[in-house]
Amino acid sequence: MRRLGHHRQPGKQGGGGGGKGLLAKLSIAVFVLLICTLSLLFSVSFTPITNGSTAPTKISVEELWKSANSGGWRPSSAPRSEWPSPPKETNGYLRVRCNGGLNQQRSAICNAVLAARIMNATLVLPELDANSFWHDDSGFHGLYDVEHFIQSLRFDVQIVERIPEIHKNGKTKKIKAFQLRPPRDAPISWYTTDALKKMKEHGAIYLTPFSHRLAEEIDNPEYQRLRCRVNYHALKFKPHIMKLSESIVDKLRSQGHFMAIHLRFEMDMLSFAGCFDIFTPAEQKILKKYRKENFADKTLIYKERRAIGKCPLTPEEVGLILRAMEFDNSTRIYLAAGELFGGERFMKPFRALFPRLENHSTVDASEELATNSRGLIGSAVDYMVCLLADIFMPTYDGPSNFRQQSPRSPSVLWLSNKY
């Protein structure tokens, strides 16, 4: 039977010499493959140490409690090439609605600033989704320092709090933004063609939803640095949120080291990922209903989702991994999470492994957190506590923007179900 890519050559079929030649070639190939395999195994399994010998790598728990080593690298998001200030005259106004959780919203704001720069547009202060998950109308003004945001980016884009009215011939006219749904991970070319065309036609466009609507991989270092300037410098939480966060961290640290864990075993994440198999029929019904109402229709084989690493780790799985890493039951853990789906049934095994659990409600019983513990303000406080913790541990796969505004770099242990 003939293999693809291999063809017999005329005049070289049969004969004892041809068979011996083939055997010799196969022997050489097997020998080379063996050498490569052994080299790979030794390079992965062993690390050279100072005395020239080799030994398996091992990280002690005490090392993990220390601040992460920067390796000599320093953050710098300032432009390193020609970067002109935005012109006074722009092509129109850009409105966006940032949906998803706090981290997704921050990423969308970074993309909105970059999109405005690409299109030479005036950015209207981004809207934060308040309905699909949060049921919280705090908005941009309630979370972030608006004046600082606008001033920090004045050399990058023009920003206004709302689309101004037009006064012409003694009449006042409102500009109505034309609504567009951007493709997921849209390339720059979509913004410079489709979106820009509609902006010039109508004077303003409204992009919704705006989570993951601009490609992450863009071959322009200055555009990526602009994203960094937005996330690490311009997006500054309001003073009262910072004060609440620092108060919680001070109380936690007064008793020694603490670890912050972001559990994503929540209804929205489980519904989005299609992770239903470990739940009761009634719980599965709730998850499927939420998925149908909030996410695009997509065929998934639910029973395979966990096996292929598409589901967040359960609290018990997180606990078992931590114990395997030699964290004992005296470890103090701050839980940054909303309401865990499935409730106490899934938390009980984790609590048995690590009984010293805290969250923002148990550490700080202030009225503001009590009334908004599951809203954007509670999430913002969790965000900052994670940044300031001795160890921060996400438990899901994906990019994270958590290294923002931090005076120190926590050790980050990334736990994922992708094996």
Side-chain angles (χ1 to χ4, degrees), residues 42-55:
F42 275 92
S43 65
V44 170
S45 302
F46 295 93
T47 302
I49 53 179
T50 53
N51 61 7
S53 62
T54 58

Side-chain angles (χ1 to χ4, degrees), residues 68 91 119 133 139 161-162 201 219 225 233 239 247 249 271 317 337 345 363 397 405:
N91 290 318
M119 294 190 290
F133 179 72
E161 295 192 36
R162 61 186 63 83
E201 284 179 14
D219 191 21
R225 291 186 189 107
H233 301 286
S247 172
V249 170
S271 298
E317 288 169 339
R345 174 163 61 98
V363 180
D397 187 76
Q405 302 179 17

Side-chain angles (χ1 to χ4, degrees), residues 198-211:
K198 292 298 181 183
M199 179 179 285
K200 289 180 176 179
E201 284 179 14
H202 300 273
I205 57 173
Y206 180 38
L207 304 184
T208 177
F210 200 68
S211 176

Side-chain angles (χ1 to χ4, degrees), residues 173-245:
K173 182 182 176 182
K174 290 184 178 180
I175 300 176
K176 186 176 181 181
F178 182 83
Q179 186 168 320
L180 280 172
R181 184 184 180 93
R184 187 176 176 87
D185 297 320
I188 288 178
S189 59
W190 184 85
Y191 288 90
T192 56
T193 54
D194 299 48
L196 186 57
K197 180 182 177 182
K198 292 298 181 183
M199 179 179 285
K200 289 180 176 179
E201 284 179 14
H202 300 273
I205 57 173
Y206 180 38
L207 304 184
T208 177
F210 200 68
S211 176
H212 304 288
R213 301 295 157 168
L214 177 58
E216 288 184 10
E217 295 185 11
I218 296 175
D219 191 21
N220 184 324
E222 293 302 346
Y223 285 171
Q224 302 293 32
R225 291 186 189 107
L226 175 55
R227 279 171 161 160
C228 289
R229 287 198 291 282
V230 180
N231 189 51
Y232 298 116
H233 301 286
L235 282 174
K236 183 179 180 182
F237 289 124
K238 299 196 79 168
H240 70 285
I241 293 176
M242 298 298 291
K243 187 176 179 180
L244 274 171
S245 307

